[in-house]
Amino acid sequence: MQNGLMVLHGNRLETLTELVADWLQREPLSPLETETFLVQSNGMAQWLKLQLADALGISAGFQFQMPARFLWSAYRTVLGETQVPRTSPFDKSRLLWRLYRLLPTLLHNEHFGPLRHFLADDVDGRKSHQLAERLADLFDAYQVYRADWLADWESGNDRLRKAQDRDAFDDFPTNQLWQAHLWRALLADMDDSKQGLSRSAIHRDFMAALTQQQGTPPPGLPRRLIIFGISALPQQALEALAALSRHCQILMLVQNPCQHYWADIVEDKQLLRRQLDNRKRHLTALPENRVNPLLAAWGKQGRDFIGLLYDHDDPDSYRSAFQNQIDLFENREPHTLLQHLQQDILDLEPLPAPDQRPSLEVDSSLHFRIGHSAQREVEILQDELLDRFSNDPSLQPRDVIVMVPDIEAYAPHIDAVFGRLERDDPRYLPYTLSDRSAGAASPWPRPWNPCCTCPSGASPPPTFSTCWMCPPCANASASTKATCHNWLAGSTRPASVGALTASNARPWTCPASNRTAGPSA
């Protein structure tokens, strides 16, 4: 089997799926060997399983993972489980509580003036917790996307390297210098053995280890890795995958909406800002920018991802394996409004002048509906789906996927609208919610989660008002409720809190935890 990174582009997932099925039949692994897929969501994994089952007759021996979780397991495989722990002290969940403890001790420092002003009236610690949560998320993103900043800050160089030119630097705003000081404070708060366990530091060690590895690949790595339908990956992940491709075969199938090179397009306002920066004067007219405005405005993350791919892609090394068919773009005659829009993006067509725009008939392929709340949006969705199913008998619930910006925020409304109907109701529609966290999907109430999942049993001050609404708490005995009420009030705290075991959780019907350690996907 030929090792290396092979990148194939296509504008339709169905076409990419056909290629995957054909490749699995042409280049099969050993009978008992597991095929590893990387996908961007559980919903995509389920869809791909069904498509492969239709194409191959069966979908078995496939393992689907998220990129972040796979890369962490690859770090442990290459560097050793003793050097890379199962959970990193720089994970968001752990950084949150370390920051929550550190922030009050740092506010006297002159560099933390903005934070000191923000937390001036924090009486109950709520703002400290919110700030720690946001900062943990920020530093987690820095570890993946701007590890070069963290390396400079760790060495005492308070500067911001540019993404395009790592030898050039942007101005570091004075009111943001506290970020560099806070990162150094986090490192100083950890033991020496833990300071090198950030994701960025482990990534550097991983790259160095694979560069030095010659001949036999490290045991435990898959012989083949298929990356399907992922629309964006950080540079750090692409570097790791390119390094792994020296020791295994990596087939990356990219859903690319445009068949032309579009890694350098910008939207009008960015182009205008650049010209204003150069001239320092107001322009009398908008600059000429002959690109598709929708792709330029909404495709920024994909644009950067496509641009990074070109740095690692060598199509001449694998083009012959696919009979020179590595760009799988399909041009179809558009008939609906949505198809016209997709075709314009595919061809990178700019927006025509008002007097040159073709007249298009309004159809049902593209709708914009406005709802005054998330609940109303879901109700509109239910009405639309019922109408579609009644008008198209061939349409099945498994053919429909609904995408939302935040599944945790919409999940209660989805359950309230779709889950209230019995199966014998003609309006009943089967549904599942994907990509929810284990804590959010559990019947165990959210306020109790910190007590059960917080490292070392440390939990924030509980202020609960709806604890007893869920079935596990509502069905508890009166004495148990009284004990917990006293504990929450701060009078008596059971000594066993923070060490919830199978035996003492059984009376509460608390579901067993099945969380996998490591960074979240």
Side-chain angles (χ1 to χ4, degrees):
M1 181 180 296
Q2 175 187 355
N3 291 339
L5 176 63
M6 300 178 289
V7 182
L8 290 90
H9 296 254
N11 61 319
R12 299 183 71 247
L13 283 177
E14 293 82 358
T15 305
L16 298 178
T17 304
E18 293 173 1
L19 186 142
V20 170
D22 179 69
W23 186 256
L24 294 179
Q25 292 176 319
R26 287 169 47 196
E27 302 284 340
L29 297 178
S30 301
L32 299 180
E33 198 169 358
T34 301
E35 196 80 59
T36 304
F37 288 82
L38 297 189
V39 293
Q40 62 184 359
S41 67
N42 292 324
M44 176 62 75
Q46 184 66 21
W47 181 87
L48 185 56
K49 289 177 187 178
L50 295 174
Q51 297 299 314
L52 291 178
D54 290 339
L56 303 175
I58 187 174
S59 178
F62 298 153
Q63 182 184 44
F64 292 84
Q65 296 189 42
M66 307 301 168
R69 193 169 300 280
F70 169 79
L71 289 177
W72 190 261
S73 64
Y75 291 160
R76 302 190 76 214
T77 299
V78 173
L79 299 177
E81 297 183 357
T82 57
Q83 185 174 347
V84 182
R86 188 174 294 275
T87 57
S88 170
F90 290 87
D91 284 351
K92 284 192 293 186
S93 59
R94 293 170 177 261
L95 279 182
L96 189 157
W97 300 111
R98 190 179 295 274
L99 287 165
Y100 183 79
R101 176 176 54 83
L102 275 179
L103 283 174
T105 66
L106 300 173
L107 296 181
H108 66 278
N109 191 304
E110 60 177 345
H111 299 288
F112 291 88
L115 302 188
R116 184 168 57 250
H117 176 73
F118 176 76
L119 299 175
D121 57 348
D122 185 28
V123 179
D124 57 0
R126 181 176 302 181
K127 295 179 70 174
S128 295
H129 181 269
Q130 293 173 345
L131 179 60
E133 188 174 30
R134 294 291 298 272
L135 291 176
D137 187 68
L138 177 67
F139 282 129
D140 182 74
Y142 282 166
Q143 292 180 71
V144 176
Y145 294 96
R146 297 316 308 253
D148 52 341
W149 288 4
L150 298 182
D152 286 338
W153 298 350
E154 183 178 352
S155 60
N157 298 318
D158 297 343
R159 56 191 183 184
L160 302 176
R161 292 182 184 269
K162 291 186 176 181
Q164 296 81 6
D165 183 4
R166 297 303 175 95
D167 294 327
F169 305 92
D170 288 319
D171 295 334
F172 205 144
T174 305
N175 61 350
Q176 296 295 326
L177 281 173
W178 57 266
Q179 295 190 36
H181 291 272
L182 182 57
W183 178 251
R184 287 192 288 268
L186 278 172
L187 296 175
D189 188 64
M190 297 183 180
D191 298 336
D192 294 340
S193 59
K194 295 182 178 180
Q195 292 184 4
L197 296 180
S198 67
R199 198 173 305 176
S200 54
I202 291 176
H203 174 75
R204 291 196 300 268
D205 296 341
F206 172 81
M207 296 295 294
L210 285 182
T211 301
Q212 299 172 0
Q213 188 85 25
Q214 300 293 335
T216 305
L221 291 177
R223 279 206 303 150
R224 178 161 63 203
L225 184 64
I226 299 177
I227 306 171
F228 185 88
I230 294 179
S231 57
L233 283 174
Q235 181 174 355
Q236 188 180 96
L238 286 177
E239 291 174 352
L241 292 172
L244 284 172
S245 67
R246 305 189 190 104
H247 306 284
C248 66
Q249 182 184 94
I250 298 182
L251 181 63
M252 179 178 290
L253 299 111
V254 181
Q255 187 182 19
N256 191 340
C258 182
Q259 61 184 335
H260 303 289
Y261 180 83
W262 60 286
D264 56 356
I265 69 172
V266 295
E267 59 179 325
D268 290 340
K269 65 179 183 180
Q270 287 185 330
L271 188 61
L272 180 61
R273 186 181 298 115
R274 292 182 185 178
Q275 294 196 14
L276 286 173
D277 289 342
N278 292 334
R279 293 183 56 181
K280 303 301 181 183
R281 299 279 184 177
H282 291 291
L283 299 179
T284 57
L286 286 175
E288 183 70 15
N289 190 22
R290 302 288 295 174
V291 299
N292 186 278
L294 189 59
L295 185 62
W298 286 2
K300 296 176 184 177
Q301 193 174 28
R303 175 198 66 193
D304 296 339
F305 172 59
I306 297 297
L308 290 172
L309 273 180
Y310 287 117
D311 295 337
H312 303 283
D313 188 17
D314 182 16
D316 294 334
S317 63
Y318 58 84
R319 192 188 302 270
S320 59
F322 298 93
Q323 292 78 43
N324 294 327
Q325 298 295 321
I326 60 175
D327 291 327
L328 309 175
F329 296 99
E330 294 187 16
N331 286 276
R332 296 185 174 184
E333 184 67 25
H335 299 287
T336 66
L337 187 61
L338 179 60
Q339 290 174 354
H340 276 281
L341 184 63
Q342 292 172 332
Q343 190 65 35
D344 286 346
I345 293 176
L346 181 65
D347 295 332
L348 201 60
E349 287 288 340
L351 189 66
D355 57 342
Q356 299 177 356
R357 296 175 185 174
S359 58
L360 300 175
E361 295 184 2
V362 178
D363 54 38
S364 60
S365 64
L366 184 62
H367 275 180
F368 289 91
R369 300 292 296 270
I370 299 177
H372 58 78
S373 66
Q375 178 78 13
R376 182 55 186 154
E377 290 178 20
V378 178
E379 292 171 351
I380 294 173
L381 170 66
Q382 184 189 42
D383 294 339
E384 289 286 342
L385 290 177
L386 290 173
D387 182 66
R388 294 293 181 96
F389 285 124
S390 63
N391 294 331
D392 186 1
S394 64
L395 185 63
Q396 298 295 322
R398 69 177 184 178
D399 300 327
V400 178
I401 181 172
V402 179
M403 305 180 67
V404 297
D406 184 1
I407 188 61
E408 304 295 1
Y410 279 83
H413 304 285
I414 296 173
D415 289 331
V417 174
F418 287 86
R420 63 185 176 86
L421 301 175
E422 300 295 336
R423 288 183 175 271
D424 56 354
D425 193 303
R427 298 171 298 166
Y428 173 78
L429 294 175
Y431 71 97
T432 57
L433 298 176
S434 301
D435 301 319
R436 295 195 70 189
S437 62
S442 171
W444 193 254
R446 182 183 295 269
W448 289 92
N449 286 347
C451 307
C452 303
T453 62
C454 188
S456 304
S459 59
T463 55
F464 312 140
S465 59
T466 58
C467 243
W468 309 109
M469 298 292 290
C470 75
C473 294
N475 297 331
S477 64
S479 60
T480 303
K481 289 182 180 180
T483 300
C484 289
H485 177 77
N486 292 334
W487 169 52
L488 296 181
S491 56
T492 59
R493 174 167 177 162
S496 60
V497 167
L500 194 64
T501 62
S503 59
N504 58 33
R506 190 174 298 112
W508 295 84
T509 64
C510 182
S513 175
N514 191 28
R515 294 184 303 145
T516 303
S520 58

